[in-house]
Amino acid sequence: AQSVSQHNHHVILSEAASLELGCNYSYGGTVNLFWYVQYPGQHLQLLLKYFSGDPLVKGIKGFEAEFIKSKFSFNLRKPSVQWSDTAEYFCAAPTGANNLFFGTGTRLTVIP
Amino acid sequence: EPEVTQTPSHQVTQMGQEVILRCVPISNHLYFYWYRQILGQKVEFLVSFYNNEISEKSEIFDDQFSVERPDGSNFTLKIRSTKLEDSAMYFCASSEAVGAGNQPQHFGDGTRLSIL
């Protein structure tokens, strides 16, 4: 089983700034990792996922994440954030066969 | 794009009362889940459901909770006797097949449950 941890609770950036949100995972066999986003008042949406292969994963809306095995990390990045990226971001990993373990989330506020 | 829908969006209930939260998963999905998120805390897994029975459940999912697929489209979460600490946002999710590891789960908008 895997678990994840997120250490940035709230990040505030100006528009056009670069973003990196941290996610660390605990090793538990095959590593599968997800990033979800929750816009205000909306449901969780899958941003990107890593199963195997290329450690640099491209997702929707210009987001990407890099799986670095030596650092047990799967950080989310975006080169230039927009006001519309204001949301809560959750790193997640499967634990057990059918459920997801979510990190505590990072609230991103982008200032116009 | 197909969506998971949840009703109601907000439920206010007196402590000790029973509450049923409803979900309509994506039609060709076979696995169903409930998660909850207490205000200011992380999303926590409650239960997964497949082939008309519980597949996995967490420690949170005690005897006060039950799930049911009463017909071909709905998936419900029942809390028999609500407590103040049950106040949370409850998310339903579904996936096409088995394995959270490689089958993305699609989430509904959630039901905010407020216990008075």
Side-chain angles (χ1 to χ4, degrees), chain B:
Chain B
E1 183 179 325
E3 291 184 343
V4 175
T5 57
Q6 290 185 243
T7 55
S9 56
H10 192 188
Q11 173 80 46
V12 181
T13 301
Q14 292 284 340
M15 187 172 60
Q17 296 295 308
E18 175 184 283
V19 67
I20 297 175
L21 310 182
R22 302 180 192 279
C23 170
V24 179
I26 295 173
S27 60
N28 64 333
H29 285 188
L30 301 177
Y31 263 87
F32 315 117
Y33 314 83
W34 283 102
Y35 292 80
R36 79 171 184 192
Q37 184 181 26
I38 295 172
L39 188 64
Q41 298 184 29
K42 65 180 182 181
V43 177
E44 301 172 291
F45 169 76
L46 291 178
V47 66
S48 62
F49 190 85
Y50 172 72
N51 199 26
N52 282 320
E53 61 183 24
I54 290 173
S55 178
E56 280 185 281
K57 60 182 181 179
S58 70
E59 293 174 353
I60 304 167
F61 194 87
D62 61 21
D63 292 344
Q64 294 297 317
F65 291 88
S66 62
V67 288
E68 195 178 31
R69 188 155 164 82
D71 53 44
S73 60
N74 288 284
F75 177 53
T76 62
L77 174 70
K78 182 192 291 186
I79 308 175
R80 192 169 58 199
S81 177
T82 50
K83 303 186 284 286
L84 292 175
E85 53 266 37
D86 293 327
S87 295
M89 182 74 91
Y90 288 80
F91 293 101
C92 176
S94 68
S95 63
E96 279 187 51
V98 64
N102 54 16
Q103 293 294 333
Q105 295 178 23
H106 298 259
F107 286 80
D109 287 341
T111 293
R112 183 175 298 281
L113 178 62
S114 301
I115 307 300
L116 305 179

